[in-house]
């Protein structure tokens, strides 16, 4: 999956994170280099541990394309969305599909680098608002018959 074609936002969801193709290439490269450097044990062990660390690092992101949204192991096809419920006071966005699947996005799960509490709340609200507008725009294009509440 080429992440350059997706709009990506950091989002803390339950479940495993995603790895990029570049991570797999670097891990394979360092593992191969550790096999080549097996005569020099400290270097081989270092390269092997580095390849394992690269594979263990994951990022949790919302990936949005023109047709679908990927959040962890859950994929939402925008043409299947029949209803969007947005509650700004609670900071929640529900995407409800025709088959009954639901995706809940919460404002508090968007990470921020701010340290002050008022700035944290403001940054999370801005990110949530931006993502919610982006998603509703994509759903309107793909499924014009969907309800928006």
């Amino acid at each position: 999956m080429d992440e350059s074609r997706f709009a990506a936002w950091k989002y803390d969801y339950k479940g495993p994170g995603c790895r990029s193709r570049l991570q797999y290439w670097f891990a394979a490269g360092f593992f191969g280099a550790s096999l080549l450097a097996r005569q020099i044990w400290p270097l081989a062990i270092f390269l092997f541990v580095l390849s394992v660390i690269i594979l263990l690092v994951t990022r949790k992101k919302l990936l949005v394309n023109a047709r679908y949204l990927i959040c962890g192991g859950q994929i939402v096809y925008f043409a299947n969305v029949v209803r969007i419920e947005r509650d700004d006071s609670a900071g929640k966005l529900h995407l409800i599909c025709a088959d009954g699947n639901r995706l809940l996005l919460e404002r508090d799960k968007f990470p921020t680098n701010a340290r002050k509490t008022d700035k944290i709340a403001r940054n999370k609200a801005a990110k949530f608002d931006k993502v919610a507008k982006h998603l509703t725009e994509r759903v309107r294009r793909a499924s014009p018959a969907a309800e928006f509440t």
Side-chain angles (χ1 to χ4, degrees):
M1 173 174 39
D2 186 16
E3 287 187 22
S4 63
R5 297 180 184 198
F6 288 88
W9 289 280
K10 292 179 183 177
Y11 183 73
D12 294 329
Y13 52 82
K14 291 183 180 178
C18 58
R19 292 179 190 91
S20 68
R21 192 175 291 170
L22 190 63
Q23 277 181 288
Y24 288 116
W25 280 103
F26 271 105
F30 283 123
F31 181 72
S34 72
L35 290 177
L36 292 174
R38 64 180 176 232
Q39 298 298 327
I40 307 168
W41 281 99
L43 180 62
I45 291 172
F46 173 74
L47 291 173
F48 177 74
V49 168
L50 190 60
S51 69
V52 170
I53 289 172
I54 288 172
L55 282 178
L56 290 177
V57 172
T58 60
R59 293 176 185 88
K60 294 191 174 187
K61 296 179 184 178
L62 285 176
L63 299 172
V64 180
N65 199 348
R67 296 182 183 177
Y68 51 90
L69 160 74
I70 301 173
C71 181
Q74 197 170 10
I75 298 174
V76 175
Y77 188 58
F78 291 139
N80 290 341
V81 175
V82 293
R83 187 172 184 172
I84 292 182
E85 298 174 357
R86 182 174 175 181
D87 185 8
D88 285 331
S89 62
K92 294 183 180 185
L93 178 76
H94 290 275
L95 296 174
I96 303 166
C97 296
D99 59 356
N101 288 337
R102 298 173 66 104
L103 176 70
L104 171 67
L105 296 178
E106 298 178 77
R107 176 178 47 214
D108 294 332
K109 291 187 178 182
F110 286 97
T112 180
N113 291 331
R115 293 193 177 127
K116 295 180 181 176
T117 55
D118 60 331
K119 213 171 188 185
I120 290 171
R122 193 170 53 236
N123 288 353
K124 286 184 178 188
K127 281 185 186 180
F128 175 75
D129 191 44
K130 184 177 181 180
V131 171
K133 284 181 183 176
H134 192 77
L135 290 177
T136 54
E137 173 188 320
R138 298 291 171 136
V139 170
R140 280 198 175 131
R141 275 194 234 154
S143 177
E147 287 183 45
F148 296 92
T149 58

